[in-house]
Amino acid sequence: MLVDGYGREVSYLRLSVTDRCNLNCFYCRSGQELDYLAHENILSYEEMVALARAARALRVEKLRLTGGEPFARRDFLAFLGLLRENCPDLDVRITTNATLLGGKAAAVKHLGVRRINISMDTLDPARFREITGRDMLDRVLAAIDECLALHLRVKINVVAMKGVNDSELPAFVRLACDKPVDVRFIEFMPIGAATRWNDAATWTAREIVARAGEMVRLTPVERHSRAEGPARLYTIAGGRGRLGVISPLSDHFCKSCNRLRVTSDGRLRTCLFSDKEYRLRPALRHPHLGLERVVDIMRRALRTKPLGHELLEMRRRAQVCDRVMSSIGG
Ligand code: SAM
């Protein structure tokens, strides 16, 4: 089992399968021209499977595949097949912008994935273009319906940004009423050098719940364990879906953090808010060190996993860490 210096048990690994993304969301990549990693510096799928096996042996239960955009990496479906073969009891989930998911949901389900998180920050096509630089909202909406028709569990993640999408709360509430999805608002986080985050853009979870509560009757869903994740969810009277908020800034959940992150170039990050990274790739590629060394690095790194929120509180610049979200994986 993996336990950190504060006694927090790690049961969840977020693995970024690529740093490439077909969207250019201003809040995620900070509108920067990014140099993508050279292919040889990205972990191969076989190396990622080896990592997943090591994590599973350490009682990690949940693996979230993220990016960049996971579906933008070639042969991503084949990778899902490899994972299923090698780690059949790992709960594999995907976070995606869903623009490349269309036509693949049945295969994804067949390969053992039951839950998909879809990032969609607006229901307005023009605003989608402004946020992402692409004209692809219709693809995302179609992919959501495709997943729901296959009874996949869909969570829709909306980055909550005042002055950007706060006027769309009624439309998102309607979406959660009409479809069996969890629509979850995530507070905009100050991640990445040149982030456009600022106080004025902050739209807090509390404000969101209060405003939505004026539109529909919300009932908090009781939480049974911390493994259920950081979202606070509400059922909607007469609605098919649920509404949720994730509040990393206004009401952080660092005390119960159970996750580790590995970037596509094989760097272990123990805290989203810290740029401290531990290089796993050399050990994974070394002919004699291999997985034993990887596990050793993980255990050592965990001893100093930060509490998290103290980094936010101490920050002197706009951003809490330099690496942009699209290269960390969210
Ligand atoms: N391309 C995939 C997607 O769009 O879901 C996976 C990668 S993306 C980096 C993962 C998640 O991070 C998305 O839900 C995105 O909205 C979220 N995200 C990116 N930057 C963020 C920020 N500054 N604050 C809060 N969430 C952010």
Side-chain angles (χ1 to χ4, degrees):
M1 181 173 289
L2 288 168
V3 183
D4 76 11
Y6 293 99
R8 296 171 294 186
E9 287 168 17
V10 171
S11 57
Y12 176 16
L13 176 64
R14 294 180 70 99
L15 175 61
S16 172
V17 302
T18 176
D19 61 329
R20 290 172 192 254
C21 190
N22 59 330
L23 301 185
N24 192 15
C25 303
F26 74 82
Y27 61 82
C28 182
R29 285 158 61 159
S30 310
Q32 285 175 303
E33 276 305 315
L34 297 176
D35 286 334
Y36 286 126
L37 294 163
H39 186 70
E40 65 269 22
N41 293 333
I42 300 281
L43 294 186
S44 67
Y45 283 144
E46 288 72 19
E47 288 164 342
M48 288 185 178
V49 168
L51 199 59
R53 287 182 65 163
R56 184 69 197 105
L58 292 164
R59 300 217 217 144
V60 166
E61 290 159 6
K62 190 161 102 182
L63 174 70
R64 178 168 300 284
L65 304 175
T66 173
E69 173 46 43
F71 286 93
R73 181 158 175 185
R74 193 181 302 164
D75 296 331
F76 178 61
L77 292 181
F79 173 50
L80 291 181
L82 273 183
L83 271 177
R84 184 159 169 81
E85 235 171 85
N86 285 276
C87 312
D89 60 348
L90 194 58
D91 178 0
V92 177
R93 305 176 180 197
I94 301 173
T95 292
T96 173
N97 63 37
T99 57
L100 305 170
L101 172 60
K104 301 190 184 105
V108 166
K109 183 177 178 186
H110 178 71
L111 293 166
V113 176
R114 294 285 175 268
R115 292 161 186 266
I116 299 197
N117 286 7
I118 294 181
S119 310
M120 181 174 68
D121 308 305
T122 174
L123 290 161
D124 176 77
R127 189 165 290 137
F128 188 91
R129 203 177 318 118
E130 279 163 26
I131 294 175
T132 69
R134 304 295 295 270
D135 209 353
M136 292 183 163
L137 178 61
D138 49 349
R139 289 198 194 193
V140 181
L141 293 169
I144 291 171
D145 286 338
E146 187 178 323
C147 291
L148 292 178
L150 291 159
H151 303 291
L152 284 162
R153 283 285 303 277
V154 175
K155 292 178 187 166
I156 294 175
N157 289 338
V158 184
V159 178
M161 296 171 283
K162 235 184 211 154
V164 177
N165 57 3
D166 53 332
S167 60
E168 292 193 59
L169 185 59
F172 277 112
V173 169
R174 223 172 299 125
L175 179 74
C177 286
D178 293 345
K179 293 187 193 287
V181 293
D182 287 350
V183 175
R184 311 180 318 164
F185 288 87
I186 305 177
E187 288 175 349
F188 182 14
M189 288 182 273
I191 304 279
T195 178
R196 301 234 211 125
W197 183 91
N198 59 54
D199 277 328
T202 305
W203 185 21
T204 64
R206 187 190 293 241
E207 290 173 271
I208 294 166
V209 172
R211 252 184 74 200
E214 291 164 10
M215 301 170 204
V216 284
R217 187 148 53 81
L218 296 174
T219 308
V221 175
E222 209 185 314
R223 292 164 55 88
H224 300 289
S225 89
R226 63 181 203 151
E228 290 173 40
R232 273 173 289 137
L233 287 165
Y234 297 81
T235 56
I236 304 171
R240 298 179 72 202
R242 302 185 294 186
L243 210 67
V245 283
I246 302 179
S247 52
L249 299 193
S250 66
D251 186 12
H252 66 79
F253 32 82
C254 299
K255 231 169 65 188
S256 61
C257 182
N258 62 349
R259 50 187 76 183
L260 284 178
R261 293 175 168 80
V262 175
T263 61
S264 57
D265 53 344
R267 289 164 188 258
L268 174 74
R269 289 175 75 100
T270 58
C271 175
L272 177 60
F273 298 144
S274 167
D275 279 319
K276 177 104 181 108
E277 295 178 339
Y278 303 82
R279 292 173 347 131
L280 302 179
R281 196 179 71 218
L284 273 167
R285 292 193 177 168
H286 194 284
H288 306 302
L289 294 176
L291 286 183
E292 235 170 80
R293 185 56 185 267
V294 168
V295 169
D296 189 47
I297 298 171
M298 281 181 165
R299 285 198 194 283
R300 281 166 189 266
L302 264 181
R303 281 188 212 147
T304 52
K305 176 174 159 76
L307 264 181
H309 64 90
E310 85 277 24
L311 300 175
L312 260 179
E313 283 145 21
M314 272 164 31
R315 117 192 106 106
R316 292 202 179 82
R317 297 162 300 169
Q319 78 267 21
V320 66
C321 64
D322 287 340
R323 200 157 174 171
V324 296
M325 200 70 128
S326 69
S327 77
I328 301 172

